[in-house]
Amino acid sequence: MTVWLLRHGMTADNALGRYQGRRDTPLSPEGVRALRPADFSPATVYVSPLRRAVQTAQILFPAAALVTVGDLAEMDFGDFDGRTADEMAGDPAYRAWVEQGCSTRCPNGETRAEFCSRSCRAFAALVEQTAAEGRESLVIVAHGGTLRAVMERFSEPQFAFFALPTPFGGGYVLEYDASLWQRERKLRLLRAVSRDPPTPRFELWGGALLTVSLTLLSFLLPWGLCLLAKHIHPAFELALQSFWCAQALAVRGLAEESRRVFEALHAGDLPAARKAVARIVGRDTDCLDAEGVAKAAVETVAEGYAGLQNRKVPVLRPCIGQTRRRGKFSAVTHRGAVLDCRGGADRS
């Protein structure tokens, strides 16, 4: 039996970074446009009762009968629903919740353990029901939190709750093996599913050309400039070589810090991830959740690159802040963001 575990499409709250929880928000126009009917048609699809999940299932599987399952609904964030992390940065209740790894009870809401328990209980019941009926597939359309809870508990290999990507309209395909389920209550992960449209061919060729050009330029430009500097004066050559060495150290330093952020998120250690990203962004990160940590790291790289491209001085400010906090090499490390972002910061 094949199990399809999918997330709803994008909503306006998603685009604004708001906690949705039990808010019955519909898909945004952008979210609707991004979805297309799936290439298979199950007879039955199990969905969260919230409108965004129901709408997604109707678009992906227009011929299927939809069965709502209340316990597949997103986590109840209580008083945090409808607000962003930035809006709650000064809220003591929110800060306390985040500092406890987002595991304690949200005011007038659920704890993460309660949410995971009901989500996994509902999912396991559907797996056993579908297997007992001898059906070949089980299709579920729910929420990002639901996917994380289920994958953390039942996936083989296992994923930490906050480390799992949950793309809009996408998710994961798992395989039910009766012996593995009975022995370990696990499902074997087959693949991830993304609803992103295929990249046009001309963009693929353009990306390949850009990659080759930048690689050649990275070697030829320093070599040519060093050769020219040598002809002018040996001191110029030494200064230029020192500059390129500093850039290399900067990229290496940023790569090490980025790896620490990734490893902490992958292990589900949110406090360690906040501490690691603070060394990159040079500011307080205690109020950030897992998504905010990843976003802060990526945006710092992108902003550093944009600041250099536009010849804006503000790109120097976080460098100076990190120098005070970390020592003489920190400004160089932050500057390495300029080079690193050309390699695809959104994937880092």
Side-chain angles (χ1 to χ4, degrees):
M1 180 177 71
T2 303
V3 179
W4 295 74
L5 188 59
L6 305 173
R7 185 189 184 187
H8 62 79
M10 181 182 288
T11 69
D13 278 356
N14 288 139
L16 294 172
R18 298 187 185 281
Y19 286 88
Q20 287 183 104
R22 295 301 183 87
R23 284 162 59 87
D24 199 14
T25 50
L27 298 179
S28 65
E30 180 184 356
V32 171
R33 287 193 299 269
L35 298 175
R36 298 287 184 275
D39 56 4
F40 69 104
S41 183
T44 304
V45 174
Y46 296 93
V47 298
S48 156
L50 297 176
R51 188 166 24 162
R52 54 190 182 272
V54 173
Q55 285 181 303
T56 300
Q58 289 171 337
I59 296 172
L60 296 180
F61 310 105
L66 305 187
V67 178
T68 58
V69 180
D71 282 344
L72 292 177
E74 180 61 283
M75 179 172 170
D76 186 352
F77 294 107
D79 294 348
F80 302 152
D81 272 345
R83 303 162 70 190
T84 68
D86 288 342
E87 291 171 350
M88 296 185 285
D91 184 337
Y94 179 71
R95 290 184 65 91
W97 180 68
V98 171
E99 287 166 1
Q100 293 297 316
C102 306
S103 60
T104 55
R105 184 176 304 280
C106 301
N108 298 311
E110 290 180 292
T111 66
R112 194 169 84 214
E114 290 171 344
F115 162 68
C116 290
S117 176
R118 68 168 170 82
S119 298
C120 291
R121 183 173 60 247
F123 176 80
L126 291 175
V127 168
E128 293 182 348
Q129 174 188 329
T130 305
E133 294 172 357
R135 286 185 278 157
E136 294 183 355
S137 65
L138 167 62
V139 181
I140 295 173
V141 179
H143 306 271
T146 313
L147 268 65
R148 290 190 173 104
V150 168
M151 295 293 288
E152 181 184 46
R153 171 63 183 83
F154 296 110
S155 173
E156 179 60 47
Q158 187 178 21
F159 293 87
F161 187 89
F162 290 114
L164 189 75
T166 54
F168 296 114
Y172 297 90
V173 183
L174 304 110
E175 180 184 43
Y176 170 85
D177 178 87
S179 61
L180 180 62
W181 179 261
Q182 293 299 327
R183 186 174 66 254
E184 301 179 28
R185 302 282 284 182
K186 295 287 186 180
L187 300 174
R188 192 173 294 109
L189 176 63
L190 296 180
R191 65 183 184 276
V193 177
S194 174
R195 294 293 166 186
D196 294 333
T199 304
R201 186 177 296 273
F202 75 90
E203 289 188 10
L204 291 174
W205 281 107
L209 179 62
L210 180 63
T211 301
V212 172
S213 300
L214 286 176
T215 302
L216 289 175
L217 187 62
S218 298
F219 286 100
L220 294 177
L221 181 61
W223 177 79
L225 290 176
C226 287
L227 190 63
L228 178 62
K230 182 178 180 179
H231 283 293
I232 297 173
H233 195 281
F236 289 159
E237 181 188 17
L238 178 61
L240 198 56
Q241 288 177 354
S242 299
F243 170 76
W244 291 119
C245 287
Q247 293 297 306
L249 288 172
V251 173
R252 180 180 177 182
L254 185 70
E256 290 176 352
E257 298 294 351
S258 300
R259 188 184 69 251
R260 290 191 183 99
V261 176
F262 169 77
E263 289 174 347
L265 287 175
H266 189 68
D269 189 347
L270 189 56
R274 291 198 198 102
K275 184 177 180 181
V277 81
R279 289 194 289 264
I280 297 177
V281 302
R283 60 179 173 83
D284 178 32
T285 57
D286 290 342
C287 65
L288 296 180
D289 57 11
E291 185 175 350
V293 167
K295 184 177 179 181
V298 171
E299 285 185 349
T300 301
V301 171
E303 287 169 4
Y305 179 58
L308 185 71
Q309 290 288 81
N310 298 326
R311 304 298 192 267
K312 292 181 180 178
V313 176
V315 72
L316 299 176
R317 286 206 298 257
C319 300
I320 296 170
Q322 286 209 42
T323 303
R324 288 199 304 266
R325 292 182 58 184
R326 298 182 54 218
K328 60 183 179 181
F329 284 111
S330 55
V332 174
T333 301
H334 187 85
R335 182 113 196 283
V338 173
L339 297 181
D340 186 71
C341 69
R342 295 180 183 174
D346 59 322
R347 297 298 181 188
S348 299

Coordinates of all heavy atoms in Angstrom, one line a residue, residues 46 51 66 86 95 175 179 257 259 294:
Y46 N -8.7 11.6 2.5 CA -9.0 12.0 3.8 C -8.4 13.4 4.1 O -7.2 13.6 3.7 CB -8.4 11.0 4.8 CG -9.1 9.6 4.7 CD1 -8.5 8.6 3.9 CD2 -10.3 9.3 5.4 CE1 -9.1 7.4 3.7 CE2 -10.9 8.1 5.2 CZ -10.3 7.1 4.4 OH -10.9 5.9 4.2
R51 N -10.7 24.7 5.8 CA -11.1 25.0 4.4 C -9.9 24.9 3.4 O -10.0 24.4 2.3 CB -11.7 26.4 4.3 CG -12.2 26.8 3.0 CD -13.1 28.0 3.0 NE -12.9 28.9 4.1 CZ -13.3 30.1 4.1 NH1 -14.0 30.7 3.1 NH2 -13.1 30.9 5.2
L66 N -14.3 13.1 -0.6 CA -13.6 13.7 0.5 C -14.2 13.3 1.9 O -15.4 13.5 2.1 CB -13.5 15.2 0.4 CG -12.9 15.8 -0.9 CD1 -12.7 17.3 -0.7 CD2 -11.6 15.1 -1.3
D86 N 7.2 38.4 14.5 CA 7.7 39.8 14.8 C 6.7 40.5 15.6 O 7.1 41.3 16.5 CB 7.9 40.5 13.4 CG 9.1 40.0 12.7 OD1 10.0 39.3 13.3 OD2 9.2 40.2 11.5
R95 N 7.5 34.5 24.0 CA 8.9 34.3 24.2 C 9.2 33.1 25.1 O 10.1 32.3 24.8 CB 9.6 35.6 24.8 CG 9.7 36.8 23.9 CD 10.4 37.9 24.5 NE 11.8 37.6 24.8 CZ 12.8 37.8 23.9 NH1 12.5 38.3 22.7 NH2 14.0 37.5 24.2
E175 N 5.6 3.9 2.0 CA 5.2 2.5 1.6 C 4.9 1.8 2.9 O 5.6 1.7 3.9 CB 6.3 1.8 0.9 CG 6.0 0.4 0.5 CD 7.2 -0.3 -0.2 OE1 8.3 -0.2 0.4 OE2 6.9 -1.0 -1.2
S179 N 4.7 -6.3 7.7 CA 5.7 -6.8 8.8 C 6.4 -5.6 9.5 O 6.5 -5.6 10.7 CB 6.7 -7.7 8.2 OG 7.4 -7.1 7.2
E257 N 29.5 28.1 9.7 CA 28.4 28.6 10.5 C 27.1 28.1 10.0 O 26.2 27.8 10.7 CB 28.5 30.1 10.6 CG 29.7 30.7 11.2 CD 29.8 30.4 12.7 OE1 28.8 29.9 13.3 OE2 30.9 30.7 13.3
R259 N 26.6 25.4 8.3 CA 26.4 24.0 8.6 C 26.0 23.8 10.1 O 25.2 22.9 10.3 CB 27.8 23.3 8.4 CG 27.6 21.7 8.5 CD 29.0 21.0 8.4 NE 29.8 21.3 9.5 CZ 30.9 22.0 9.5 NH1 31.3 22.6 8.4 NH2 31.7 22.2 10.6
A294 N 15.9 29.7 9.9 CA 16.4 29.4 8.5 C 16.2 30.7 7.6 O 17.1 31.0 6.9 CB 15.6 28.3 7.9

